[in-house]
């Protein structure tokens, strides 16, 4: 298996799992979003989770890769500053949210790289 395919399977698989868990635990995720003052959480949480699921499957299968990568980029841009607002917390909560924020930022960077590669078509060429 080509390294880029393995990387896409690992990367997309984690997000597929995350999206599936979000959808399975929808009530709890909506409550958490409400606590973070997200507007229309009963609409945005399932929509964002669905978008993440579609994006992750697209990355794993490398189908509509620009759209898939853009969905993941959009998900991170919406979720990261809203749900991991470490600057609004203190002590232990602040540190925990900051770690999640930084992890998301790193994964956002990877999604941006995938988006760039999808535009150039280079990943598909490597897997041939």
């Amino acid at each position: 298996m080509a390294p880029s395919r393995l990387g896409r399977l690992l990367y997309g698989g984690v997000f597929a799992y995350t999206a599936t868990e979000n959808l399975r635990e929808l009530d709890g995720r909506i409550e958490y979003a409400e606590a973070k003052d997200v507007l229309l959480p009963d609409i945005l949480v399932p929509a964002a989770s669905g978008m993440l699921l579609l994006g992750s499957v697209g990355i794993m299968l490398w189908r509509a890769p620009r759209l898939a990568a853009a969905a993941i980029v959009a998900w991170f841009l919406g979720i990261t500053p809203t749900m991991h607002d470490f600057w609004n917390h203190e002590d232990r909560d602040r540190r925990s949210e900051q770690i999640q924020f930084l992890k998301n930022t790193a994964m956002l960077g990877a999604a941006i790289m995938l988006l760039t590669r999808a535009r150039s078509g280079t990943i598909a060429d490597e897997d041939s």
Side-chain angles (χ1 to χ4, degrees), residues 16-38:
Y17 174 80
T18 299
T20 301
E21 286 299 303
N22 284 351
L23 292 168
R24 286 174 26 126
E25 301 290 333
L26 203 49
D27 291 339
R29 300 297 196 256
I30 290 170
E31 285 179 26
Y32 187 67
E34 286 174 343
K36 294 285 191 168
D37 295 325
V38 171

Side-chain angles (χ1 to χ4, degrees), residues 81-110:
T82 305
M83 304 308 280
H84 302 298
D85 56 341
F86 66 91
W87 50 89
N88 289 326
H89 297 274
E90 293 187 25
D91 302 327
R92 190 176 195 175
D93 288 339
R94 180 185 187 95
R95 184 71 179 141
S96 176
E97 291 296 344
Q98 186 176 31
I99 289 168
Q100 295 304 317
F101 183 91
L102 293 172
K103 285 181 187 179
N104 278 14
T105 301
M107 290 185 288
L108 169 62

Side-chain angles (χ1 to χ4, degrees), residues 107-124:
M107 290 185 288
L108 169 62
I112 291 169
M113 286 189 288
L114 277 173
L115 180 59
T116 302
R117 300 285 301 271
R119 285 184 179 153
S120 69
T122 55
I123 289 181

Side-chain angles (χ1 to χ4, degrees), residues 12-65:
V14 168
F15 296 130
Y17 174 80
T18 299
T20 301
E21 286 299 303
N22 284 351
L23 292 168
R24 286 174 26 126
E25 301 290 333
L26 203 49
D27 291 339
R29 300 297 196 256
I30 290 170
E31 285 179 26
Y32 187 67
E34 286 174 343
K36 294 285 191 168
D37 295 325
V38 171
L39 297 175
L40 305 170
D42 53 330
I43 295 169
L44 291 179
V45 171
S49 298
M51 180 174 67
L52 181 62
L53 182 59
L54 291 174
S56 64
V57 171
I59 292 299
M60 289 188 295
L61 300 176
W62 206 241
R63 299 292 182 255

